[in-house]
Amino acid sequence: MFQIENLGDRKYKSPIQLSTVKGDNIFNFVDDEDRLVYDMSLENYQFCLDNQKEPDCLEKAGPRQNLFFDSKQTTAAIVTCGGLCPGINNVIRGVVMALHYYYGVRRILGIPYGYEGLNPEMGHGLIELTPDKVKDIHQFGGTILGSSRGAQDVGVMTDTLVKNGIDILFAIGGDGTLKGCNAIGEEIQKRGLNIAVVGIPKTIDNDIDIIDRSFGFETSFDIASPILRDAHNEAQGAYNGVSIVKLMGRDSGFIAASAALAMPVVNFVLIPEQEFNLHGENGFLESLRRRLEAKNHAVIVVAEGAGQHLFQKEEERKDASGNIMHDDIGIFLKETIKQYFKDIFPITIKYIDPSYIVRSAAANSSDSVFCSGLAYMAVHGAMAGKTKFVVGRVNNKLVYLPISAVVQKRKKIDLESDFWFAVLQSTGQPFFM
């Protein structure tokens, strides 16, 4: 299930001076046989024991003693795709520094504006990346390479890699980016080329399956938390004041839920995973009325993909990345609440949408550490000739996963989890609306 593909035999010794002996106080090379159990539950352990079945295991990330690529002759490239997310520049910096200082790779290319940069017709060209060019970029949000959405012809992109002598492609992006990276890997394999493709999962929504979390997610709700505090101040500043804050979360509500836990002044969290009724005794509007009657203010956090069942849609629309385009639940709630209370009692509504401020922020300290670790481990795996894989944290350990394993479905909040139960306890909202 989690088998990582390799380009071939490893003929070159790693230039990193590490150990193979435990107990000598020097970090050891990692072997491909160093594997970690995926499902660590007692139930799975007993199942495997009873059925004499080997458990699903993950390949531990880290530097290998033998390499597939001759570092002195290797050319690497980095591309960033999709929406902005805190930490992209940190990952770019980490990849460049690891390639240059750990392995002595001297030719590192940046591909401008996402996969568009691999299509010569777009005219973006390629840029040289050096330690001097990237040494300070971690202090800033966004991506120094630029980004774009939408697919490009896989054959054309592969031709560009070949033409520029690129041996390793690092693709930093979310679900669509990783699928594109895997498709490039398939084309490379069909042509019998020795080019490694590596994915570094980036999604502010934290919706990449299997992995614990994606980089930038922690910064996102860190940035959102003081915004919720200020929204609470606005709500309290008026009699029957209502503040609505819309946060990112197309299909998963992790940012909204986590921000509400981090700043526990929120009274309602609406997420894509849970449908809700507007009307009726247990509906959202009646619950909001009871809250205002009791406390005279309310703070509502809504993920952008929540409540889509409330819209009449003639046909499904998709953006350039293939994501379903949603109607604006924030504006809808504002107008619906306004109309509902018009004949009940006066209210004051404040609507806040900080989405693009949140996603364009620089990474916080915790995410910065995480980004560096992901970058370094991606480089170690790539230099060993591993391909069509992503690096991620599972069960709090950095591992290599096949791209195909993480793009099968989106990760969503488990409504029966202790995480969501904690959100309900914090907000006091009904379990069902």
Side-chain angles (χ1 to χ4, degrees):
M1 178 179 178
F2 297 121
Q3 190 65 39
I4 304 298
E5 295 184 30
N6 292 276
L7 292 176
D9 295 335
R10 300 168 189 170
K11 302 177 182 179
Y12 304 97
K13 290 291 183 183
S14 173
I16 306 177
Q17 299 299 309
L18 299 178
S19 175
T20 58
V21 180
K22 291 185 178 180
D24 61 359
N25 297 323
I26 300 174
F27 189 81
N28 293 316
F29 284 110
V30 177
D31 191 89
D32 283 359
E33 299 307 311
D34 292 337
R35 301 176 72 79
L36 303 168
V37 176
Y38 170 52
D39 185 345
M40 301 176 67
S41 68
L42 178 61
E43 181 183 9
N44 183 63
Y45 169 78
Q46 193 63 53
F47 173 81
C48 292
L49 202 63
D50 293 342
N51 293 274
Q52 297 184 327
K53 179 181 180 294
E54 184 176 320
D56 290 327
C57 292
L58 307 169
E59 194 173 306
K60 189 177 179 181
R64 268 48 177 178
Q65 187 173 14
N66 297 308
L67 308 179
F68 178 81
F69 291 107
D70 178 0
S71 55
K72 295 178 182 178
Q73 306 296 324
T74 298
T75 296
I78 305 170
V79 64
T80 60
C81 307
L84 297 183
C85 173
I88 300 177
N89 281 336
N90 301 66
V91 175
I92 295 170
R93 182 186 188 278
V95 170
V96 172
M97 294 301 189
L99 286 168
H100 183 93
Y101 288 112
Y102 301 169
Y103 290 101
V105 174
R106 291 295 179 262
R107 188 166 181 253
I108 307 169
L109 303 174
I111 299 168
Y113 301 110
Y115 285 141
E116 280 187 9
L118 288 173
N119 183 352
E121 291 185 3
M122 303 304 294
H124 297 317
L126 303 179
I127 60 176
E128 292 277 347
L129 295 176
T130 64
D132 279 345
K133 283 186 178 179
V134 303
K135 62 185 176 65
D136 296 321
I137 63 174
H138 60 289
Q139 301 179 52
F140 305 98
T143 164
I144 62 162
L145 296 177
S147 187
S148 68
R149 294 188 183 275
Q152 299 293 323
D153 185 272
V154 173
V156 170
M157 292 192 289
T158 305
D159 289 341
T160 302
L161 297 179
V162 174
K163 182 180 178 181
N164 289 276
I166 294 169
D167 302 293
I168 303 171
L169 173 66
F170 295 93
I172 304 169
D175 184 74
T177 303
L178 297 179
K179 287 178 180 177
C181 183
N182 206 52
I184 294 172
E186 295 284 351
E187 180 67 17
I188 288 169
Q189 193 172 44
K190 287 179 184 177
R191 299 189 190 187
L193 303 172
N194 288 327
I195 302 175
V197 293
V198 183
I200 303 178
K202 173 232 68 171
T203 165
I204 200 170
D205 292 350
N206 194 38
D207 60 357
I208 298 292
D209 196 30
I210 300 176
I211 65 174
D212 295 347
R213 66 180 173 96
S214 49
F215 76 82
F217 166 65
E218 188 169 305
T219 301
S220 68
F221 69 81
D222 189 18
I223 297 294
S225 293
I227 296 172
L228 299 189
R229 178 199 61 207
D230 296 342
H232 178 249
N233 293 339
E234 283 287 349
Q236 279 193 316
Y239 188 73
N240 289 335
V242 177
S243 285
I244 304 169
V245 182
K246 187 178 79 170
L247 296 175
M248 302 189 94
R250 184 185 293 111
D251 300 297
S252 306
F254 288 104
I255 295 178
S258 298
L261 283 174
M263 183 59 65
V265 296
V266 178
N267 310 114
F268 297 93
V269 177
L270 306 177
I271 58 173
E273 291 87 342
Q274 187 174 59
E275 292 189 358
F276 60 93
N277 295 322
L278 284 174
H279 302 282
E281 184 179 350
N282 296 318
F284 168 69
L285 293 171
E286 276 295 299
S287 298
L288 176 59
R289 180 183 61 79
R290 288 192 291 269
R291 164 69 195 184
L292 292 175
E293 287 174 343
K295 298 294 184 179
N296 303 119
H297 70 278
V299 178
I300 302 162
V301 174
V302 57
E304 63 178 312
Q308 295 303 304
H309 62 287
L310 301 173
F311 295 92
Q312 298 294 325
K313 301 184 181 184
E314 295 181 0
E315 60 181 23
E316 193 175 83
R317 297 170 294 141
K318 294 187 177 182
D319 63 17
S321 297
N323 300 307
I324 296 173
M325 296 179 67
H326 293 322
D327 290 286
D328 195 325
I329 184 63
I331 297 297
F332 174 84
L333 280 181
K334 177 186 175 183
E335 295 304 317
T336 300
I337 293 169
K338 181 180 177 181
Q339 289 298 316
Y340 177 79
F341 283 97
K342 184 175 62 173
D343 298 323
I344 300 176
F345 51 72
I347 63 170
T348 300
I349 302 178
K350 301 293 170 55
Y351 176 65
I352 304 165
D353 182 355
S355 298
Y356 293 101
I357 295 172
V358 170
R359 78 174 198 171
S360 60
N364 65 14
S365 298
S366 178
D367 260 328
S368 294
V369 172
F370 187 36
C371 288
S372 295
L374 291 173
Y376 299 158
M377 294 306 180
V379 169
H380 293 319
M383 291 301 296
K386 297 181 183 299
T387 189
K388 293 162 63 180
F389 75 94
V390 298
V391 59
R393 184 175 285 162
V394 180
N395 298 327
N396 209 32
K397 300 288 185 181
L398 286 171
V399 297
Y400 297 137
L401 293 157
I403 293 176
S404 57
V406 302
V407 297
Q408 292 181 15
K409 60 186 178 71
R410 299 284 179 96
K411 183 172 71 173
K412 295 177 179 290
I413 292 176
D414 179 359
L415 297 178
E416 295 186 15
S417 65
D418 53 2
F419 172 68
W420 182 242
F421 181 48
V423 174
L424 296 178
Q425 291 178 100
S426 176
T427 61
Q429 72 188 62
F431 280 27
F432 299 99
M433 285 187 289

